[in-house]
Amino acid sequence: MLLRDIWKSYTLSGVAVSVLKGVNMTAYRGEVVGIHGPSGSGKTTLLKIIAGLERPDKGEVIVDGYNLNMLDEYGLALYRNNVCSYIPQDFGIVDAMTTYENVEIPLLLAGVSAEVRRRKVVEMLDYVGLRDKASMRVGRLSGGEKQRVAIARALVTTPSVLLADEPTASLDWTNAIKVAELFLNIKKDFGTTVIIVTHDARLLEYVDRSMNLFDGSLKQISSPKL
Ligand SMILES: Nc1ncnc2c1ncn2[C@@H]1O[C@H](COP(=O)(O)OP(=O)(O)O)[C@@H](O)[C@H]1O
Ligand SMILES: [Mg+2]
């Protein structure tokens, strides 16, 4: 995954505020990258741009040979459902639906047959350890379990890139470590590139490479372990 000179500003009450000021980054296949930055530094904005949910004012995002500037809204929807999964900070899962139904959503959107859907959803629920909660409404699950539902749903389409926005923000430290370890397993088992943004510097001990988002650009704070 390649980010080349990404710029983004927002206009608030007529005043333009630059959030990203020339972000460059390469993430290798099967690497877990942690991006640390304080609240308001532009972490969510950056992930949304990589996910194709927001357009940069300038710059290029290239993932798996797709240059997002070349994709229209329909192309971006396919990209999000097949190539690059984004897990929002609030998980983005549907509380009124069951664990199973939440994980099935991307496969329904992709037009996958009922039989293959069933096999893949069960496989994912086993993988994240939620098979026994398959028929429970996710509104009743704990924070750690909700995060795992969100991860299973993001992973069920076997994307090349998985983006996680503050995945441990609402978890205690024991559950936070479990989630970090799950991302490392995902990279090993599926070859997924995982990008985690966090304001919790402790999480950086668990990633292959860490970067700092500061004053609108990214600085590497550790070399790749690969
Ligand atoms: N849609 C928007 N409209 C206006 N300002 C925004 C919008 N989204 C984010 N911002 C501003 O951009 C800055 C970065 O926000 P964000 O990317 O959410 O940072 P972080 O995730 O690091 O906390 C903040 O000052 C925020 O208020
Ligand atoms: Mg944020």
Side-chain angles (χ1 to χ4, degrees):
M1 189 209 72
L2 182 68
L3 303 181
R4 200 181 281 150
D5 199 27
I6 301 285
W7 290 73
K8 180 78 180 176
S9 63
Y10 293 110
T11 307
L12 280 179
S13 349
V15 183
V17 182
S18 280
V19 180
L20 303 177
K21 299 186 264 188
V23 170
N24 290 291
M25 174 184 173
T26 305
Y28 302 103
R29 185 164 281 263
E31 181 181 34
V32 181
V33 179
I35 298 177
H36 177 247
S39 176
S41 58
K43 301 183 297 297
T44 297
T45 302
L46 181 63
L47 284 193
K48 283 186 171 170
I49 287 173
I50 302 171
L53 289 163
E54 296 241 14
R55 299 267 192 192
D57 301 330
K58 176 175 179 287
E60 290 181 315
V61 179
I62 298 166
V63 180
D64 258 18
Y66 294 94
N67 182 331
L68 301 201
N69 292 342
M70 305 295 171
L71 301 180
D72 60 11
E73 288 309 310
Y74 178 68
L76 288 177
L78 291 178
Y79 165 81
R80 283 193 292 273
N81 208 44
N82 295 291
V83 181
C84 179
S85 291
Y86 168 65
I87 306 172
Q89 183 170 353
D90 65 2
F91 312 127
I93 51 181
V94 187
D95 277 351
M97 287 167 76
T98 66
T99 299
Y100 185 99
E101 288 164 346
N102 268 279
V103 177
E104 191 181 27
I105 294 170
L107 300 176
L108 285 166
L109 292 174
V112 173
S113 73
E115 193 191 326
V116 176
R117 283 203 311 269
R118 174 144 201 93
R119 180 168 55 75
K120 290 199 168 182
V121 173
V122 169
E123 203 175 284
M124 268 340 294
L125 293 180
D126 275 337
Y127 187 75
V128 300
L130 284 177
R131 179 90 178 260
D132 57 335
K133 303 276 165 76
S135 54
M136 204 185 244
R137 284 183 204 284
V138 297
R140 294 177 54 211
L141 299 178
S142 72
E145 288 166 343
K146 283 182 185 175
Q147 180 60 265
R148 282 186 281 143
V149 174
I151 292 170
R153 191 185 58 179
L155 207 56
V156 75
T157 51
T158 51
S160 321
V161 177
L162 183 60
L163 308 171
D165 197 344
E166 310 249 10
T168 61
S170 61
L171 307 181
D172 58 48
W173 187 233
T174 312
N175 277 307
I177 292 173
K178 279 192 200 156
V179 165
E181 286 170 346
L182 178 56
F183 285 123
L184 290 171
N185 283 330
I186 287 169
K187 143 197 123 157
K188 271 196 254 132
D189 297 335
F190 299 91
T192 318
T193 303
V194 182
I195 300 179
I196 301 169
V197 302
T198 180
H199 68 269
D200 188 346
R202 295 179 300 176
L203 208 59
L204 299 181
E205 307 219 353
Y206 294 84
V207 301
D208 294 320
R209 184 158 55 118
S210 17
M211 326 254 309
N212 207 354
L213 183 58
F214 181 75
D215 196 22
S217 70
L218 276 178
K219 316 248 179 331
Q220 187 152 304
I221 51 179
S222 80
S223 320
K225 282 185 197 158
L226 297 174

